[in-house]
Amino acid sequence: MYEILIPGLVLSGFALVLSGGLLYASKKFYVYEDPRIDAIEALLPAANCGGCGLAGCRAFAEQAVKKESLDVICPVADAAAMSAVAKVLGIEASGADKNVATLMCHGTHENSKEALEYAGIEDCWAAMLVTDSVKACAFSCLGLASCVRACRFDAMKIENGIVVIDEEKCTGCGLCVPACPKTLLHMRPQTSEVVVCCFNTERGADARKVCRVACIGCMKCQKTCAHDAIHVNNFLAAIDYGKCTNCYECVDVCPTDSIQIKGKEVYVASA
Amino acid sequence: MPENRPVFVDSSPLGRAGESTRKIMYTVSLTLVPALGVSVWMFGFEALRVLLLAAVFCVGIEFAAFRFSSFKIDSLDGSALLTGILLAMNLPANAPWWLILVGSLVAVGLGKLVFGGLGQNIFNPALVARVFLLISFPVQMTSWLKPGAVDGSTGATPLGILKTEGAGALAQTDLLHLAVGQMGGSLGEVSAIALLLGAAWLFYKKYITWEIPVTFMGAVLVFSGIFYLINPAQYASPLFHLFTGGVMLGALYMATDMVTSPLTFKGKLIFGIGCGFFTALIRLFGAYPEGVSFAILFMNAFVPLLDRYFPDKKFGVLKNE
Amino acid sequence: MLHPLKTFSRGGIHPAYNKFSADRPIEYGTVPERLLIAVNQHIGRPLEVLVKKGEEVTRGSLLAKSSGFVSSNLHAPAAGKVEKITRFPQLGGQIGETIIIKTENPGQSLKEILDSETPQSLRLDALEKEEILKKINEAGLVGMGGAGFPTHVKLSPPQEKPIDHLLINGAECEPYITCDHRLMLERSAELTRGMLILQKLFGGVPVTIGIEDNKPDAVKAMGEALAGKRGLSVAALETKYPQGGEKQLIKAILNREVPSAGLPMDVGVIVQNVATTLAVYEALVYNRPLMERALTVSGNLIKNPGNILLPIGTPVSFIMNRFEIDAARVRLLLSGGPMMGRASFSFESPLTKTSSALLFFDGDYVHRRRENPCIRCGSCIDACPMGLPVAQLTESIKGNLIAAHAKGDIMDCIECGSCTYVCPADRRLVQWMRVGKSIIRREN
């Protein structure tokens, strides 16, 4: 009987002494932390993507509590989550639109012919060290998936030689933007549906030669737009998302189909 | 542009020496044929059975892992085959089939795939399996067929005799017999000469370098030699230690495993000396008669540190900097 | 041979040399119908284009002017009219600004042009150092071995780095390439004078030309040409790649190690390529800017490999016509050797000052197995002439976890390609090193 009792007692004694030590330490070294930090952190997406510019969700919560404001917003969390965060802080949430990543290129295998067969490392930055272009168009998406690897939300994939973005999954964190060596990924408000899918600044004839859907800088869209929302610079049209009203006039007049409608595939199908 | 077909573009260099992982793995496997031949000669059909089972199990397990996971594993790259052969060489010839299956599962699964597959494992897969089996199934792992025994009678290895009965019991042992392989032991432990023959080809192909084998064997000789000089009656001779057990197999094939050995010159030397030292230590003073596998696994754990702290001399970096 | 040949101490490989064109004399090329002259053919500041569309140019007229010290002039190799200035694919994969000239006399032989130019009498002892440098600068000379660094910059080391030895790089360790070999054989007297000019520039320091011993005829020819010249000598080197790497050459001939992150001038040495040395001679004696170069045309697709002198700006397709290469069969076009050369995708790309070879291969030569896992065999480390832990460095680059202490190592990589050449797992080690370098450069 004693054989089992003695070790039991000894171990219990140990446990008592050590837990006492822990109790003392927790009182002695206690640091007050605003409980709102934990509350906010629990509401955040916990992806630690850094899309807000801070080092993860905890850092975001700490700063929000410290400043008692939401001047930096989490691009990933949806509006409901952000208003819940604002509620914790006792302020009003600003109703910012969700941004999504957009590829400024439509150089699929059919549209821009492959100029070479790249056999090196499957990475856009690595390929850029060897050749300026994989397709005939030197501005086009390389399709080697550096952005796909940068995306933490599984919202991107390579399809037919270019990146395709799932706008439902895209949270607008913006991590893919610096991952593109061709600077082809831009953020746009999801409500803005019209996009110039081209980044080629060469003269119209040269651009047309390398890609079927290149913007040739013909100015038709600029002349058509009633809202002063589309301008051609350097033989390339660019949309001011703040002014665009989704009237689709420019889409209809574009002779090369380089202006496209995003996020409304249903509309395209029925039109 | 008037191209007919797109040309290839790749980073320099565009030429290659023509080596491949497969070539290395299958070459190493082939060089084990002489040693396996001696085993079959000594232990007969049983040895061949163990060998075939281990090879089929290892390749099969890796192939299954490839089928049922998202990993890209080339199960025919020869590394699983080599692991299977080396595992067989670490088993007694009378190992039951389930023991081989468990060993293969541990070698390929626990030894390699859990780390992320080829090239990622820290420990030599075949040795992980051997040690796992040795600890889990000590009876099956230490009943050795007597060489040339047709009746299936078993006996102890020379090292086992040394451990249990002392050096005196080995007085009549002939070193030449040991070197050729006329002794009890696992498949790969028996013939030192056949192993050296196979390894000679690897040296010629530069798949292994001299550093690890030489320092390994040298360290075994030195440390066992010191004690032999102190008391020849109690301790066996260093040459006996060199030619018995797994020192040859370990020094030539297990410790030189590319994945789990250091990359740098100094690292290799220290690794080899460490393997030899711990082998001798376990043999002379440990509870187990044989220490090669433990010594190599122990030193495997130090490989990342050795690579990190004993780098090769770089061009343009002076010693006193 | 009783005593071992000079070589660098660690690493190196022995690729198949395939120097098929070693016994083919350098032919004189002709002027093509169009010359496509890349504006930026050098390392350094971009040039300022001086000509406009429609402008007439003559041989030797300045097309683009250097815009700073580390920059290099560009001249028209033949008379003609500027047709267009546009972006065009270059040898080496980049797309760069290119001046397209429609030539006046297509088909004219370079021999005819070169014979019509007369040498000036050059009195070496009367030449001032500044004058030599000025002429080299004006002639637009760059390192013709492949790097393209402006020669006058390389020849103007700062005061605190005294130069006590000049080396001429005649190693030509790259497989296939033989143009420097032929230059050393056919023009050894002019090369010697070029070496004397360089020697004069540094106050009579010794000048040594290093030649790999797989070119015994070149060793002999240069030995005879240099006989009796004070301070000029030949060093026969072991045939081992990359013997012609600047740092390896210095180690082999002088047993000096260029410090990590350092330049040859840190150990008192300047290395010049054979073709560059000849261009120095021509710049001073003929007042001729760098307008044509000798190159090797070879590869496994070519029946008659050879060496040819062609104007800079000649398109690849012109060379393919001349050497009867079937464009449909070409699957790999290399500018430079197979170890360090760059693959190119357009058959219209033009020659530059740094194109030492054009190699044409079919699909059999192309290596396109995917990267396999590293099996830590250590071949890359054994092959690395710089003693770098290649396997670990590339793994860290791949994971984007470059340790601070590894950055210096990565920047020390000379991209010779030895590691990738021997890698059994087909890993693109050099390309990973380049990725690592670009990451580090972006950080700084």
Side-chain angles (χ1 to χ4, degrees):
Chain A
M1 189 57 198
Y2 284 117
E3 284 93 335
I4 193 69
L5 209 61
I6 290 170
L9 282 175
V10 168
L11 287 177
S12 308
F14 261 123
L16 216 65
V17 171
L18 292 176
S19 58
L22 280 177
L23 190 73
Y24 174 75
S26 72
K27 291 277 182 228
K28 173 87 181 169
F29 300 113
Y30 178 71
V31 179
Y32 174 76
E33 205 168 43
D34 198 320
R36 292 180 298 172
I37 296 178
D38 282 335
I40 292 176
E41 198 188 359
L43 292 167
L44 294 171
N48 290 320
C49 65
C52 55
L54 297 166
C57 295
R58 180 84 189 171
F60 177 87
E62 279 168 6
Q63 182 172 314
V65 170
K66 197 173 153 200
K67 289 193 173 172
E68 299 265 332
S69 77
L70 278 176
D71 51 348
V72 179
I73 64 150
C74 173
V76 178
D78 56 14
M82 281 323 282
S83 61
V85 170
K87 217 171 171 185
V88 174
L89 291 171
I91 55 171
E92 282 290 309
S94 59
D97 278 340
K98 180 188 167 190
N99 279 339
V100 287
T102 313
L103 183 72
M104 310 298 268
C105 176
H106 201 62
T108 56
H109 288 313
E110 295 85 48
N111 290 334
S112 186
K113 219 180 63 190
E114 220 109 291
L116 54 98
E117 199 168 336
Y118 173 67
I121 299 169
E122 290 270 314
D123 177 88
C124 302
W125 292 91
M128 287 285 286
L129 298 171
V130 181
T131 172
D132 271 2
S133 170
V134 173
K135 296 183 185 131
C137 173
F139 298 87
S140 77
C141 172
L142 299 170
L144 295 169
S146 285
C147 53
V148 178
R149 283 186 289 276
C151 182
R152 303 264 179 94
F153 301 95
D154 195 27
M156 306 178 113
K157 63 176 180 217
I158 300 290
E159 216 173 79
N160 207 3
I162 60 164
V163 179
V164 176
I165 297 150
D166 183 338
E167 296 195 354
E168 285 312 302
K169 283 187 184 168
C170 177
T171 60
C173 70
L175 279 181
C176 53
V177 174
C180 179
K182 295 272 189 193
T183 64
L184 284 172
L185 287 162
H186 293 209
M187 304 305 291
R188 66 159 226 279
Q190 198 176 10
T191 48
S192 211
E193 289 160 7
V194 183
V195 176
V196 180
C197 284
C198 184
F199 212 54
N200 191 324
T201 51
E202 278 178 358
R203 274 198 308 266
D206 292 338
R208 191 68 194 259
K209 220 184 289 172
V210 293
C211 180
R212 251 171 40 188
V213 294
C215 172
I216 53 173
C218 67
M219 311 288 285
K220 272 188 183 168
C221 49
Q222 187 172 334
K223 285 173 198 151
T224 311
C225 186
H227 312 280
D228 192 34
I230 190 160
H231 295 278
V232 177
N233 271 323
N234 256 340
F235 312 104
L236 179 65
I239 290 175
D240 183 341
Y241 297 121
K243 290 181 183 167
C244 179
T245 61
N246 297 337
C247 69
Y248 307 150
E249 290 295 332
C250 53
V251 183
D252 294 339
V253 297
C254 180
T256 58
D257 290 335
S258 69
I259 307 180
Q260 300 198 344
I261 300 164
K262 292 271 174 181
K264 269 220 171 171
E265 273 66 30
V266 185
Y267 171 86
V268 178
S270 62
Chain B
M1 282 168 263
E3 285 97 325
N4 299 313
R5 245 183 332 174
V7 292
F8 285 101
V9 167
D10 195 352
S11 176
S12 66
L14 274 301
R16 292 291 194 281
E19 284 295 342
S20 74
T21 306
R22 281 185 177 215
K23 202 168 148 191
I24 292 177
M25 294 297 173
Y26 286 121
T27 307
V28 176
S29 303
L30 273 178
T31 60
L32 285 166
V33 166
L36 291 166
V38 173
S39 293
V40 174
W41 174 42
M42 291 293 161
F43 303 120
F45 171 73
E46 286 291 282
L48 201 60
R49 179 189 62 92
V50 171
L51 174 70
L52 287 178
L53 278 180
V56 168
F57 283 151
C58 280
V59 177
I61 290 163
E62 196 166 86
F63 186 70
F66 164 60
R67 282 296 302 274
F68 301 113
S69 79
S70 61
F71 271 100
K72 281 185 198 154
I73 305 167
D74 183 3
S75 51
L76 292 177
D77 65 6
S79 63
L81 179 73
L82 184 58
T83 301
I85 294 175
L86 286 176
L87 173 66
M89 300 192 86
N90 276 302
L91 293 174
N94 52 350
W97 68 269
W98 54 266
L99 192 76
I100 303 170
L101 179 62
V102 172
S104 306
L105 272 171
V106 171
V108 175
L110 201 62
K112 194 165 103 177
L113 293 183
V114 290
F115 289 99
L118 180 63
Q120 305 295 315
N121 48 308
I122 302 169
F123 301 105
N124 188 321
L127 286 183
V128 170
R130 178 192 157 98
V131 167
F132 180 90
L133 295 177
L134 192 63
I135 293 168
S136 310
F137 309 100
V139 178
Q140 286 83 353
M141 283 297 286
T142 50
S143 72
W144 313 98
L145 273 188
K146 277 187 179 164
V150 279
D151 54 353
S153 65
T154 58
T157 63
L159 281 171
I161 297 166
L162 175 68
K163 191 57 104 188
T164 48
E165 298 169 39
L170 295 162
Q172 75 284 18
T173 320
D174 185 355
L175 264 184
L176 187 65
H177 280 225
L178 295 177
V180 172
Q182 286 176 332
M183 57 177 164
S186 66
L187 258 58
E189 284 178 350
V190 290
S191 175
I193 287 175
L195 284 169
L196 278 170
L197 200 67
W201 182 252
L202 293 185
F203 281 118
Y204 170 71
K205 292 290 286 180
K206 292 189 181 151
Y207 289 164
I208 58 177
T209 49
W210 63 269
E211 292 95 346
I212 293 173
V214 168
T215 49
F216 192 151
M217 295 182 201
V220 169
L221 282 178
V222 167
F223 290 116
S224 58
I226 290 170
F227 287 95
Y228 181 66
L229 287 178
I230 292 170
N231 187 355
Q234 190 189 344
Y235 300 105
S237 81
L239 281 175
F240 171 84
H241 277 290
L242 191 63
F243 286 116
T244 54
V247 169
M248 279 293 163
L249 180 67
L252 294 171
Y253 283 93
M254 308 303 257
T256 55
D257 170 37
M258 289 169 171
V259 176
T260 55
S261 61
L263 292 166
T264 62
F265 177 71
K266 277 185 227 158
K268 283 176 185 170
L269 295 185
I270 296 168
F271 180 81
I273 293 170
C275 288
F277 173 74
F278 286 111
T279 300
L281 195 71
I282 294 168
R283 280 187 178 186
L284 296 175
F285 305 107
Y288 281 96
E290 172 61 308
V292 173
S293 15
F294 292 106
I296 296 174
L297 285 178
F298 185 71
M299 289 310 291
N300 279 165
F302 287 99
V303 166
L305 285 177
L306 292 174
D307 279 344
R308 173 84 167 75
Y309 290 105
F310 298 95
D312 285 341
K313 188 203 167 296
K314 281 162 201 151
F315 189 95
V317 177
L318 299 172
K319 272 189 187 123
N320 52 16
E321 272 183 83
Chain C
M1 195 141 312
L2 285 173
H3 57 92
L5 284 160
K6 288 180 171 179
T7 187
F8 55 98
S9 52
R10 101 174 291 295
I13 53 170
H14 296 279
Y17 285 96
N18 294 338
K19 303 237 180 200
F20 303 130
S21 50
D23 54 353
R24 307 290 171 94
I26 299 171
E27 308 163 37
Y28 286 95
T30 52
V31 176
E33 209 170 299
R34 275 190 182 75
L35 287 169
L36 298 84
I37 297 156
V39 174
N40 295 308
Q41 310 192 356
H42 62 285
I43 293 177
R45 293 176 65 99
L47 299 187
E48 196 181 309
V49 179
L50 297 176
V51 292
K52 283 185 205 69
K53 186 178 169 178
E55 202 171 314
E56 298 273 350
V57 292
T58 56
R59 178 170 159 88
S61 59
L62 197 60
L63 294 176
K65 193 175 73 167
S66 76
S67 60
F69 183 57
V70 187
S71 197
S72 182
N73 287 338
L74 190 65
H75 303 80
K81 196 172 172 183
V82 178
E83 198 175 64
K84 211 174 174 188
I85 300 173
T86 181
R87 281 160 53 83
F88 204 83
Q90 301 299 324
L91 286 175
Q94 326 86 321
I95 294 171
E97 199 175 11
T98 306
I99 302 168
I100 301 180
I101 297 173
K102 190 164 166 40
T103 53
E104 211 167 74
N105 301 311
Q108 190 185 16
S109 167
L110 268 185
K111 185 170 169 52
E112 200 183 307
I113 296 175
L114 293 177
D115 284 350
S116 68
E117 290 167 6
T118 47
Q120 304 168 317
S121 62
L122 183 73
R123 290 202 49 226
L124 211 52
D125 39 324
L127 270 178
E128 284 298 318
K129 193 176 160 177
E130 285 68 30
E131 204 182 331
I132 301 177
L133 278 176
K134 190 163 158 265
K135 282 199 165 178
I136 291 173
N137 186 1
E138 279 170 1
L141 297 197
V142 299
M144 290 164 78
F149 192 75
T151 305
H152 67 278
V153 183
K154 206 170 177 182
L155 291 175
S156 327
Q159 282 291 313
E160 65 272 18
K161 309 264 186 202
I163 300 301
D164 61 24
H165 210 120
L166 287 176
L167 295 183
I168 308 299
N169 189 349
E172 203 162 56
C173 54
E174 273 268 10
Y176 291 96
I177 306 181
T178 56
C179 58
D180 284 357
H181 180 186
R182 293 310 305 182
L183 288 176
M184 288 187 283
L185 274 183
E186 294 171 22
R187 304 182 65 188
S188 43
E190 287 148 297
L191 188 56
T192 309
R193 293 202 61 191
M195 288 165 73
L196 287 169
I197 294 167
L198 291 177
Q199 185 185 34
K200 163 87 188 170
L201 202 50
F202 291 98
V205 298
V207 186
T208 306
I209 180 164
I211 307 169
E212 277 189 346
D213 75 323
N214 61 355
K215 298 176 266 291
D217 47 350
V219 176
K220 189 160 164 272
M222 284 315 295
E224 282 163 8
L226 297 183
K229 302 279 192 294
R230 257 184 79 190
L232 270 52
S233 60
V234 182
L237 309 170
E238 190 189 317
T239 304
K240 180 164 90 173
Y241 184 85
Q243 193 68 264
E246 225 173 33
K247 294 178 176 180
Q248 278 64 39
L249 194 74
I250 296 168
K251 174 76 183 172
I253 298 178
L254 301 172
N255 198 22
R256 299 182 195 172
E257 274 192 27
V258 179
S260 169
L263 290 168
M265 65 169 84
D266 293 330
V267 290
V269 183
I270 284 177
V271 183
Q272 286 295 344
N273 172 267
V274 164
T276 318
T277 311
L278 270 169
V280 167
Y281 162 79
E282 290 188 349
L284 275 112
V285 176
Y286 286 87
N287 252 334
R288 184 187 295 155
L290 183 51
M291 296 184 294
E292 50 269 318
R293 71 157 298 150
L295 70 150
T296 300
V297 183
S298 188
N300 70 357
L301 260 182
I302 198 166
K303 282 192 274 322
N304 300 304
N307 305 290
I308 185 166
L309 188 73
L310 278 169
I312 282 151
T314 306
V316 173
S317 56
F318 180 84
I319 298 159
M320 288 168 74
N321 276 338
R322 178 164 179 136
F323 283 86
E324 292 165 352
I325 298 162
D326 180 7
R329 288 183 61 204
V330 177
R331 300 304 324 275
L332 180 66
L333 161 61
L334 272 180
S335 130
M339 296 305 293
M340 289 189 74
R342 304 198 60 160
S344 190
F345 61 90
S346 170
F347 294 158
E348 293 304 313
S349 298
L351 292 184
T352 64
K353 294 173 182 175
T354 56
S355 320
S356 51
L358 277 184
L359 307 179
F360 299 88
F361 295 101
D362 60 15
D364 298 343
Y365 189 81
V366 178
H367 181 99
R368 55 189 307 248
R369 275 185 302 204
R370 63 181 169 81
E371 283 195 307
N372 287 317
C374 171
I375 54 168
R376 289 172 48 88
C377 66
S379 307
C380 51
I381 296 170
D382 292 341
C384 181
M386 298 302 289
L388 304 177
V390 187
Q392 290 112 313
L393 291 178
T394 49
E395 285 292 289
S396 72
I397 295 165
K398 216 172 166 180
N400 209 349
L401 294 163
I402 305 170
H405 67 86
K407 286 181 182 168
D409 289 359
I410 293 171
M411 296 312 278
D412 270 347
C413 171
I414 58 169
E415 301 181 18
C416 66
S418 301
C419 50
T420 315
Y421 181 81
V422 296
C423 180
D426 301 311
R427 299 174 75 72
R428 268 38 179 203
L429 299 167
V430 174
Q431 201 180 1
W432 280 119
M433 283 298 211
R434 288 195 186 135
V435 171
K437 285 183 180 180
S438 72
I439 292 173
I440 295 168
R441 285 202 194 102
R442 277 208 298 276
E443 278 173 7
N444 292 342

